[in-house]
C-alpha cells in the first residue's frame, strides 16, 4: 500500500527501485529458544546462511574491477577470512546445539562475546576491527532472513539502512545501487558529502524507514525533497519521470556554462575552485572549468584502507591530481582524520570522550610528526609537476601553522638536496574552522599565504551543534547572525592583509547562498564539482554592487528567519 515517509534531503536526484533493507549492525535481537528437536533444522538454517554469504562475497569479489577492486577487495578478503574463522562459527553452532538458542540469538550472543574481547584491547587499531566483525555478522543476519545476504544482485536497488559509512557508498554504487535511504544520519556527514560527489541520491533521517520498508518493496525517492514513497502509484511514477526529465533538461542547460566565466552581472569575476576527494572529482573539476582545486581532502586515501599509504602512494595520488589540472593550482589539505572521519588504519583515536574536540586534523598530524613529514614530502614532490598549495585543517592559532611551515621548509630543502624537483615556493594556508582561529586571525594572518573558511566545522563549533547529530535539526545552520559576522570579519582581515579568502564548506555549494556569500565580501568559493555549474549560474545572476549595498541589512538581521527572508529576496525569481 502506498505510504509516504519523510526524511532529510542529503544528495539530490531521484531514484526508483526495489528496496534492499539492511538491518543495523548492532543486532537488537530478543532472546529466543528452540527445542531439542529443532536443533538440527536450526543448525542447517545457520550453515545455509553461512554458505550463502560466502558465495555472495565470492561473486562480489569477482565482479569488482578497476580502481575499486584493490580498495574494496581488501575488505572482502578480510571478511571472507572472518567468515571462515572456526572460533566464530563453532561458537555459534555450540550455542544453538547446547544452549538451545535460535540462530539469530546465537549470532547476537557470539557477537557480544567477541566485542567484549575487542573492547578490552589496548591497541586502537585492533579495537577498530570490531567493525569488520559487525559487518560479517550483519551479512549473516541478513542471509538468515532473506535466504540471501545483503550484497547479492543489488543492481537497480535502493538501500534502506540505519546508517552508511563513506567507504561503503562507492562500493554500493559500483554494485548498481541507485539510491540510499537511512533512518539516521545527517546531510552534513561525510557520507552525504560523498553521496553528492557520486551523484547518488540520498535521503537521511527517514526515521520510519526500517519499520515500514521490507525487502523488495518498490520505492521512489527524491533526494531534493527528502521524500520516500513506498509502493508509488501512477501519479508518483509520473512525478518521478517528470523529475528525471527536468533534471536532464537542467543538466543540458547547465552544460552550456562549462566554458563561461563565473562573472557577475556587473562584470566581477568570482574564483570558483573545486573540492575533490578522488581522481574522478579532479577530472570532473577540470572538465567543468574550475579555477583549480581549492580543497583536496587527503583523508580519503586513508579512510578505506587498513594500511597507511606510504610516501610513494601519496605522491602518486597528488601528482596525478596536479597533472590532471593541467597547470591550475591544486590545494592539498594535510590529513584531517578524527571525529566523524574515523579511519581503518586506527590512526584516529576511537574512544575519545569528545572526538570533535579531540586529537583531530593538524593536532593529530603534529602528534604524529613522521606521518606529517611523509605527507609533506609527497606533496612537495608533487609540486614539481605543477602549482600546489598546502592547506592545514583545524588550526587554532599561529603555533600550529609555524610548526607545519618549519617542517615544509625542511622537507623542500631535503628534497632539493636529494636532486628532486619541487616548486620554488609552496604556499601554506590555514583552514579557518575553529572559532578561536577566526577571532584571533589578526595575530597570525601574516603567516598564512591564503585562508580557507571551513564552514562545516566553523558552524558546528560556533553554535556548539554537532554537524552529524540528526536530532539537532535546524539548530545547526550557517544562517545564524554569529556565523555571518565571523565570515565578514575573516574576509575583512584577509583582504586588509592581501590574503585571498575562500569558503570551502558545504555552504559554498548551495546556489541559494551565493548572494549572501558575495554580499559578505567573498570573491572565491570552493565546492564539489557536482554543483559547480549551478553555483556558476547563480553567480552570473548576481549584481555585486547591489549585493554589497544590501550587506548591512543582512548583518543587522537578528535571527535565522530574517536571514532567510534576505536570502529568499535574492533568489533569481524574486529579484
Ligand atoms: C569544513 O569543515 O567546512 C570543511 C570543508 O572540512 P571538512 O568538511 O572536511 O571537515
Ligand atoms: Mg572541517
Amino acid at each position: 500500500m502506498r505510504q509516504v515517509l519523510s526524511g532529510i534531503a542529503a544528495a539530490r536526484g531521484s531514484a526508483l527501485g526495489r528496496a534492499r533493507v539492511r538491518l543495523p549492525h548492532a543486532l537488537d535481537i530478543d532472546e529466543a529458544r528452540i527445542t531439542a528437536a529443532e536443533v538440527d533444522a536450526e543448525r542447517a538454517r545457520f550453515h545455509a546462511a553461512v554458505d550463502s554469504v560466502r558465495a555472495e562475497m565470492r561473486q562480489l569479489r569477482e565482479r569488482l574491477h578497476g580502481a575499486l577492486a584493490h580498495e574494496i577487495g581488501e575488505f572482502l578478503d578480510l571478511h571472507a577470512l572472518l567468515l571462515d574463522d572456526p572460533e566464530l562459527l563453532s561458537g555459534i553452532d555450540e550455542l544453538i546445539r547446547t544452549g538451545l538458542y535460535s540462530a539469530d540469538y546465537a549470532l547476537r550472543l557470539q557477537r557480544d562475546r567477541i566485542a567484549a574481547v575487542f573492547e578490552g584491547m589496548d591497541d586502537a587499531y585492533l579495537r577498530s576491527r570490531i567493525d569488520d566483525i559487525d559487518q560479517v555478522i550483519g551479512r549473516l543476519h541478513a542471509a538468515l532472513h532473506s535466504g540471501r545476504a545483503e550484497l547479492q544482485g543489488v543492481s537497480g536497488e535502493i538501500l534502506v539502512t540505519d546508517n552508511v559509512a563513506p567507504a561503503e557508498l562507492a562500493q554500493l554504487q559500483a554494485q548498481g545501487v541507485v539510491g540510499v535511504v537511512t533512518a539516521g544520519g545527517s546531510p552534513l556527514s561525510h557520507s552525504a558529502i560523498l553521496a553528492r560527489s557520486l551523484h547518488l541520491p540520498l535521503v537521511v533521517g527517514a526515521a520510519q524507514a526500517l519499520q515500514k520498508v521490507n525487502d523488495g518493496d518498490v520505492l521512489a525517492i527524491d533526494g531534493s525533497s527528502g521524500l520516500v514513497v513506498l509502493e508509488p502509484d501512477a501519479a508518483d511514477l509520473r512525478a518521478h519521470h517528470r523529475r528525471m526529465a527536468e533534471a536532464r533538461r537542467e543538466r543540458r542547460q547547465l552544460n552550456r556554462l562549462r566554458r563561461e566565466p563565473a562573472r557577475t552581472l556587473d562584470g566581477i569575476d568570482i574564483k570558483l575552485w573545486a573540492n575533490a576527494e578522488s581522481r574522478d572529482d579532479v577530472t570532473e573539476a577540470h572538465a567543468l572549468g574550475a579555477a583549480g582545486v581549492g580543497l583536496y581532502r587527503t583523508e580519503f586515501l586513508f579512510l578505506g584502507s587498513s594500511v597507511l599509504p606510504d610516501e610513494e602512494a601519496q605522491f602518486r595520488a597528488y601528482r596525478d591530481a596536479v597533472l590532471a589540472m593541467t597547470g591550475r593550482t591544486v590545494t592539498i589539505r594535510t590529513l584531517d582524520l578524527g571525529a566523524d572521519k574515523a579511519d581503518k588504519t586506527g590512526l584516529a583515536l576511537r574512544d575519545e570522550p569528545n572526538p570533535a574536540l579531540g586529537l583531530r586534523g593538524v593536532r593529530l598530524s603534529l602528534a604524529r610528526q613522521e606521518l606529517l613529514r611523509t605527507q609533506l614530502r609527497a606533496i612537495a614532490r608533487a609540486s614539481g609537476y605543477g602549482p600546489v598549495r598546502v592547506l592545514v585543517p583545524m588550526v587554532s592559532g599561529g603555533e600550529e601553522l609555524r610548526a607545519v611551515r618549519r617542517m615544509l621548509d625542511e622537507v623542500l630543502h631535503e628534497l632539493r638536496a636529494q636532486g628532486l624537483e619541487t616548486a620554488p615556493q609552496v604556499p601554506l594556508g590555514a583552514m579557518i574552522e575553529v572559532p578561536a582561529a577566526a577571532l584571533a586571525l589578526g595575530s597570525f594572518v601574516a603567516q598564512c599565504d591564503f585562508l580557507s573558511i571551513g564552514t562545516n566545522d566553523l558552524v558546528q563549533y560556533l553554535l556548539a551543534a554537532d554537524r552529524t547529530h540528526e536530532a539537532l535539526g535546524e539548530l545547526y545552520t550557517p544562517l545564524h547572525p554569529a556565523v555571518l559576522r565571523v565570515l565578514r570579519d575573516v574576509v575583512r582581515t584577509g583582504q586588509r592583509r592581501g590574503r585571498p579568502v575562500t569558503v570551502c564548506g558545504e555552504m559554498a555549494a548551495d546556489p541559494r547562498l551565493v548572494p549572501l556569500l558575495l554580499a559578505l565580501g567573498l570573491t572565491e568559493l570552493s565546492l564539489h564539482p557536482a554543483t559547480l555549474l549551478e553555483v556558476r549560474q547563480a553567480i552570473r545572476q548576481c549584481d555585486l554592487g547591489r549585493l554589497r549595498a544590501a550587506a548591512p541589512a543582512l548583518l543587522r538581521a537578528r535571527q535565522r528567519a530574517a536571514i532567510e527572508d534576505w536570502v529568499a529576496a535574492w533568489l533569481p525569481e524574486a529579484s
Side-chain angles (χ1 to χ4, degrees):
M1 206 186 63
R2 178 183 187 272
Q3 282 187 68
V4 180
L5 313 175
S6 56
I8 304 164
R12 290 194 316 160
S14 297
L16 179 67
R18 280 160 53 100
R20 166 61 55 116
V21 180
R22 186 181 67 177
L23 293 168
H25 291 319
L27 297 179
D28 189 14
I29 299 165
D30 291 334
E31 178 167 342
R33 299 282 186 144
I34 52 173
T35 62
E38 289 167 329
V39 164
D40 285 346
E42 197 63 1
R43 287 179 62 214
R45 191 168 84 86
F46 173 63
H47 288 287
V50 175
D51 289 344
S52 131
V53 172
R54 213 174 261 143
E56 285 157 14
M57 282 172 52
R58 206 170 36 241
Q59 274 171 21
L60 178 65
R61 187 80 172 89
E62 281 158 14
R63 282 210 306 272
L64 286 176
H65 50 81
L68 288 170
H70 175 66
E71 197 173 314
I72 295 163
E74 264 182 35
F75 283 115
L76 289 174
D77 292 344
L78 174 69
H79 292 181
L81 277 178
L82 289 172
L83 198 58
D84 283 332
D85 183 347
E87 189 88 29
L88 176 76
L89 296 190
S90 62
I92 296 172
D93 199 71
E94 174 85 13
L95 283 163
I96 300 174
R97 255 184 319 115
T98 55
L100 298 182
Y101 291 112
S102 70
D104 300 68
Y105 193 63
L107 206 56
R108 179 190 162 167
L109 286 176
Q110 185 68 350
R111 186 263 167 212
D112 291 349
R113 272 187 197 166
I114 299 174
V117 176
F118 273 71
E119 271 152 24
M121 288 177 178
D122 287 337
D123 186 319
Y125 170 71
L126 285 178
R127 257 196 329 271
S128 74
R129 303 274 61 141
I130 190 63
D131 289 352
D132 296 300
I133 302 272
D134 274 343
Q135 295 207 10
V136 172
I137 298 264
R139 280 177 190 177
L140 282 171
H141 189 246
L144 273 175
H145 282 271
S146 53
R148 54 195 185 132
E150 57 179 324
L151 290 171
Q152 191 187 45
V154 286
S155 171
E157 288 184 333
I158 293 175
L159 179 76
V160 180
T161 180
D162 58 334
N163 233 323
V164 66
E168 288 177 305
L169 281 173
Q171 175 186 0
L172 290 167
Q173 194 174 46
Q175 290 163 6
V177 162
V178 291
V180 177
V181 177
T182 63
S186 142
L188 285 140
S189 66
H190 281 89
S191 296
I193 294 175
L194 192 62
R196 292 194 280 277
S197 84
L198 293 168
H199 302 284
L200 184 66
L202 171 67
V203 173
V204 299
Q208 299 273 291
L210 285 171
Q211 284 96 50
K212 304 269 175 166
V213 182
N214 289 307
D215 254 355
D217 287 349
V218 173
L219 298 179
I221 71 169
D222 179 3
S224 307
S225 67
L227 289 183
V228 176
V229 183
L230 183 58
E231 297 302 339
D233 62 17
D236 295 319
L237 291 177
R238 273 197 301 279
H240 168 77
H241 295 310
R242 256 199 317 276
R243 283 197 303 272
M244 297 293 276
E246 177 65 18
R248 279 194 296 274
R249 195 165 44 246
E250 260 178 34
R251 208 58 356 238
R252 271 198 305 275
Q253 256 176 13
L254 284 171
N255 273 332
R256 297 200 194 109
L257 293 181
R258 277 168 180 257
R259 302 199 191 296
E260 299 296 328
R263 184 169 298 155
T264 62
L265 291 170
D266 46 349
I268 310 294
D269 283 328
I270 303 296
K271 200 161 186 180
L272 267 193
W273 302 83
N275 292 354
E277 268 134 43
S278 65
R279 220 165 136 174
D280 288 350
D281 290 346
V282 177
T283 307
E284 202 181 345
H286 186 270
L288 298 178
V293 173
L295 168 63
Y296 185 88
R297 286 185 166 102
T298 57
E299 46 283 3
F300 286 87
L301 283 169
F302 292 68
L303 282 173
S305 167
S306 51
V307 282
L308 280 178
D310 61 9
E311 179 182 318
E312 202 53 33
Q314 290 190 56
F315 160 65
R316 277 198 301 270
Y318 308 152
R319 178 205 58 197
D320 290 353
V322 170
L323 290 175
M325 287 309 284
T326 62
R328 301 178 216 170
T329 300
V330 178
T331 310
I332 302 178
R333 183 171 73 178
T334 58
L335 194 56
D336 188 21
L337 283 182
D340 56 324
K341 282 173 276 192
D343 63 331
K344 287 268 161 196
T345 59
L347 271 177
L349 300 182
R350 284 262 161 172
D351 44 10
E352 287 189 290
N354 230 331
L357 306 182
L359 196 62
R360 59 167 296 198
V362 68
R363 305 163 181 190
L364 181 67
S365 295
L366 290 175
R368 303 283 303 261
Q369 301 249 329
E370 273 320 297
L371 192 76
L372 179 62
R373 180 173 293 276
T374 303
Q375 182 163 41
L376 291 177
R377 277 182 62 94
I379 299 174
R381 282 172 62 191
S383 78
Y385 293 78
V388 161
R389 308 193 295 182
V390 174
L391 179 60
V392 186
M394 288 293 292
V395 167
S396 50
E399 295 75 19
E400 289 153 334
L401 213 60
R402 240 193 314 274
V404 178
R405 169 82 72 183
R406 209 176 307 122
M407 197 182 286
L408 180 59
D409 287 346
E410 275 167 29
V411 155
L412 284 165
H413 190 259
E414 220 168 78
L415 290 169
R416 286 179 203 136
Q418 284 176 257
L420 292 169
E421 176 68 6
T422 69
Q425 244 111 51
V426 178
L428 183 70
M431 290 277 295
I432 303 299
E433 51 186 347
V434 173
L439 295 171
L441 183 58
S443 67
F444 69 95
V445 63
Q447 296 175 47
C448 308
D449 296 314
F450 65 99
L451 303 167
S452 195
I453 311 179
T455 46
N456 303 340
D457 279 314
L458 183 62
V459 170
Q460 123 164 308
Y461 295 127
L462 268 178
L463 304 183
D466 183 343
R467 65 195 259 185
T468 62
H469 196 315
E470 56 250 41
L472 290 177
E474 300 205 326
L475 268 181
Y476 179 101
T477 174
L479 302 186
H480 188 290
V483 175
L484 302 194
R485 211 149 308 152
V486 169
L487 285 177
R488 193 246 348 238
D489 291 351
V490 171
V491 171
R492 271 197 187 158
T493 309
Q495 280 169 353
R496 272 201 212 114
R497 306 296 291 265
R499 303 303 196 266
V501 183
T502 311
V503 165
C504 65
E506 287 303 289
M507 193 181 178
D510 185 344
R512 293 175 323 122
L513 300 185
V514 163
L516 177 145
L517 291 170
L518 299 195
L520 293 175
L522 283 145
T523 53
E524 299 193 9
L525 305 176
S526 189
L527 52 136
H528 193 272
T531 49
L532 198 114
L533 293 178
E534 275 110 312
V535 168
R536 185 177 292 160
Q537 185 175 46
I539 290 170
R540 292 168 61 85
Q541 289 162 341
C542 284
D543 182 314
L544 197 60
R546 283 179 61 210
L547 282 171
R548 296 271 164 90
L554 173 64
L555 288 159
R556 272 197 306 273
R558 281 163 193 263
Q559 50 211 350
R560 182 191 168 115
I563 300 174
E564 268 168 4
D565 289 346
W566 190 98
V567 168
W570 286 94
L571 289 178
E573 303 78 46
S575 58

